[in-house]
Amino acid sequence: YEKLAMIVGATRFGGMENSSAIVFPVTFFDPRPSPKMSTTFGIPRGTMNLVAHEIAHQWFGDSVTESTWADLWLSEGFATYFAGLFLQRTEGEEAFQDYMSRGAQAVFEYEKKNRTPIFDRDTEDLMDLLNANNYQKGGWVLHMLRSWLGDQVFFRGLRDYYNTHKEGTASTEDLRAALEKASQKDLKGFFQRWIYETGHPKYQLTWEWQKRELTLVLRQVQPGKAFLDYVPIAISTAAGTRELLLKPTGKETVHTTMSEFPTGIELDPRNTLLREATVARAAAAKP
């Protein structure tokens, strides 16, 4: 991993995380057109994010190194997400959400042309593994796990994963085992769908309100199997906003609940799922 990254990292991606010695290209501090600036450090956010990314590799990628090339996301996905965590801590939630949204768009663009899983044993050109699957999608997998498990459990699991494998190697299954131990939850289905299979959910949510009952129909229109992650739905009415969790059972899920007439319905309001989504009212839905 170190040899490949030394060849392309500092020139193609902006930095290289050699253990104890991070290398940046000579163009690292060149002016960029209209950069977003860090309010904390007074430097371009892109510069700050890249430095944080490479420093994160000292733990994930260098101290704990992925067991195989197919496990590359344990290095690049971690560094991508930990750069986001640093941004969240120093610049605030809005900056973090913008970072994650831009990462999601990178994944969507990549998947328009590539149908490969994160855990990719088939790609023979190792340069091709330096892609949005292992960087941004890997980071999003960690974000979804954090959102579902909660900060305390998630970071306890990561500490156990790191301490168990530091100065050694680790696999995707080692990470799953650490998070399952910390959470006491079965994560096999999540890892299977998000890591070992391809794609992301494309939700179409429609709603209908009749006789004080709200009916929600959640369809998944992406190729392949359904994603079974809980989907948060925020329902706004004149009385306020409440949130419910839909648990998909397949490509189509129907849920009915008592409600006032909705003034707004939002899918995944806190941006916890890597997804594309549309929300629409059924033609018969009238106040």
Side-chain angles (χ1 to χ4, degrees):
Y1 172 66
E2 291 290 341
K3 290 181 179 179
L4 174 66
M6 285 183 70
I7 295 172
V8 300
T11 56
R12 182 178 175 186
F13 292 99
M16 174 53 212
E17 68 280 2
N18 302 286
S19 209
S20 79
I22 297 172
V23 178
F24 295 101
V26 294
T27 59
F28 185 56
F29 291 110
D30 285 0
R32 301 290 190 270
S34 304
K36 288 187 177 180
M37 302 298 290
S38 164
T39 58
T40 304
F41 301 105
I43 61 175
R45 279 187 190 171
T47 301
M48 183 185 74
N49 294 341
L50 181 56
V51 171
H53 179 108
E54 304 304 342
I55 291 175
H57 274 312
Q58 300 303 307
W59 288 267
F60 301 103
D62 290 339
S63 180
V64 177
T65 302
E66 58 271 20
S67 298
T68 71
W69 282 107
D71 294 297
L72 180 61
W73 79 281
L74 297 177
S75 174
E76 298 303 347
F78 266 78
T80 299
Y81 190 55
F82 271 69
L85 294 179
F86 183 75
L87 185 69
Q88 186 179 36
R89 175 67 65 88
T90 58
E91 302 294 305
E93 188 65 22
E94 183 178 350
F96 173 69
Q97 291 297 340
D98 177 67
Y99 176 86
M100 296 304 297
S101 293
R102 285 186 288 109
Q105 289 302 316
V107 176
F108 302 155
E109 289 301 314
Y110 177 79
E111 289 187 346
K112 288 178 181 178
K113 300 178 182 178
N114 301 275
R115 299 293 299 173
T116 56
I118 290 177
F119 192 87
D120 181 2
R121 285 179 166 169
D122 296 329
T123 297
E124 296 182 356
D125 186 344
L126 297 182
M127 296 291 189
D128 289 342
L129 293 176
L130 300 174
N131 56 42
N133 255 357
N134 283 305
Y135 283 75
Q136 288 89 349
K137 190 174 184 180
W140 258 100
V141 164
L142 294 173
H143 184 57
M144 290 187 290
L145 286 165
R146 176 191 174 196
S147 300
W148 182 31
L149 300 178
D151 281 12
Q152 184 176 5
V153 169
F154 175 72
F155 288 112
R156 183 168 71 242
L158 291 194
R159 290 187 189 98
D160 181 58
Y161 164 77
Y162 175 78
N163 288 327
T164 300
H165 301 285
K166 65 182 178 181
E167 299 180 8
T169 61
S171 69
T172 296
E173 289 302 293
D174 291 327
L175 175 63
R176 179 169 73 87
L179 291 173
E180 287 186 337
K181 179 181 177 182
S183 66
Q184 296 299 299
K185 294 180 183 295
D186 183 355
L187 301 177
K188 185 175 181 180
F190 177 92
F191 272 67
Q192 178 62 36
R193 190 66 186 92
W194 282 104
I195 302 295
Y196 298 108
E197 297 176 10
T198 63
H200 63 275
K202 297 182 179 180
Y203 298 118
Q204 290 181 350
L205 177 67
T206 58
W207 61 272
E208 183 175 358
W209 188 84
Q210 290 185 346
K211 298 179 180 180
R212 298 181 63 82
E213 279 194 344
L214 174 66
T215 300
L216 302 169
V217 180
L218 181 69
R219 295 183 177 89
Q220 297 186 34
V221 298
Q222 75 280 351
K225 298 188 300 185
F227 288 82
L228 302 181
D229 312 279
Y230 282 98
V231 179
I233 308 293
I235 303 169
S236 298
T237 69
T241 300
R242 65 185 179 95
E243 187 173 301
L244 59 84
L245 292 175
L246 291 186
K247 177 61 174 173
T249 55
K251 281 291 191 78
E252 180 171 305
T253 303
V254 180
H255 179 84
T256 300
T257 183
M258 297 296 292
S259 176
E260 298 292 332
F261 183 78
T263 57
I265 293 181
E266 187 177 2
L267 187 149
D268 189 24
R270 290 187 296 279
N271 200 29
T272 60
L273 292 171
L274 177 62
R275 82 294 184 278
E276 295 180 84
T278 61
V279 179
R281 184 175 62 178
K286 298 179 180 179

